[in-house]
Amino acid sequence: MSAAAATAIRLNVRVSLVIALAAFVGVVAFFWPFVVAPGEFGSNYAPPLIFGVLLVLVLCVVLSEIAEGGINSKALAMLGVLSAVNAALRPLGAGTAGIETVFFVLVLAGRVYGPGFGFTLGCTSLFTSALITGGVGPWMPYQMFGCAFVGMLAGFLPRATGRREVLMLATYGSLSGYLFGFLLNLSFWPFSLDPNSSIAYLPGLPFTEQWHRYLAFDLATSLGWDTGRAVTNFVCIVLAGPAVLTTFRRAARRARFQAPVRFTTSRPAPPDGT
């Protein structure tokens, strides 16, 4: 089955441009400690809140553009099912040594159903699980955005089959676990430590020194947690990946998401007795 036939949500030129703009806004939102000038805001707490609201607005625009671009009822049903599955899986591991059970389904679904579906699933999965677990807060938009791009990038991975594909997805899942943690730490690093600490955010420092401080902070506080997430992603994809990929592709064949609609005219029934 071709990748185009399994794609649940097509990304047209307009939607692609909107996602590219969203990516730019997301980069600014995550890396604001390195781009916002000292004294720009009255408090260190203001930037993450402002950028969090901005991310919500950007995600709403992207999702509306994707919906307008042609998400059909079958793709919507699949999105609802997998969002519910991810929302149910997340509490099984979150909060224990960095184990996160939400990413491997996101990576495999993005691989099979395409980058548009992966982006949307990342948003809806984290939003649904936050409502269930009570994890709604200023960090939620950053989590939604990070997971959206984990799912989307999985859909852009190069072609591969068999064990090579599973190993490629497992490696990507492991790397995305580290990258997700690296980005999420940026959203709260500036106000999480004593300013006198050598790894704390200090407004006004040159970029290189600020960057070295953040790398030291990430290694000291998050490396173990991110490693748990990376190992979980790798193991889950290696063990469950072949079966889940087969199931997803079978569902895509039956759903025929991008099947063209054809209208035919039926012949009138012959009169009785002829």
Side-chain angles (χ1 to χ4, degrees), residues 163-179:
R163 293 182 178 178
R164 289 184 59 187
E165 180 183 33
V166 174
L167 182 59
M168 177 184 68
L169 292 174
T171 303
Y172 168 75
S174 182
L175 293 176
S176 66
Y178 282 110
L179 181 60

Side-chain angles (χ1 to χ4, degrees), residues 11-38:
L11 295 181
N12 55 35
V13 176
R14 180 177 172 180
V15 175
S16 299
L17 290 175
V18 172
I19 290 180
L21 178 60
F24 173 77
V25 174
V27 170
V28 174
F30 279 109
F31 287 88
W32 70 264
F34 306 102
V35 298
V36 174

Side-chain angles (χ1 to χ4, degrees), residues 130-141:
L131 294 180
I132 293 176
T133 60
V136 178
W139 55 85
M140 188 180 70

Side-chain angles (χ1 to χ4, degrees), residues 48-121:
L49 294 177
I50 293 173
F51 287 125
V53 172
L54 183 61
L55 283 181
V56 171
L57 296 177
V58 169
L59 289 173
C60 290
V61 171
V62 174
L63 293 178
S64 65
E65 288 291 338
I66 289 176
E68 187 179 347
I71 178 171
N72 58 31
S73 58
K74 293 177 288 188
L76 192 61
M78 181 63 71
L79 181 65
V81 169
L82 293 183
S83 297
V85 169
N86 260 351
L89 286 175
R90 195 180 183 199
L92 299 180
T96 307
I99 297 174
E100 292 278 2
T101 51
V102 70
F103 283 89
F104 86 97
V105 173
L106 183 59
V107 170
L108 298 176
R111 170 67 173 178
V112 174
Y113 299 128
F117 188 91
F119 185 96
T120 310
L121 180 62

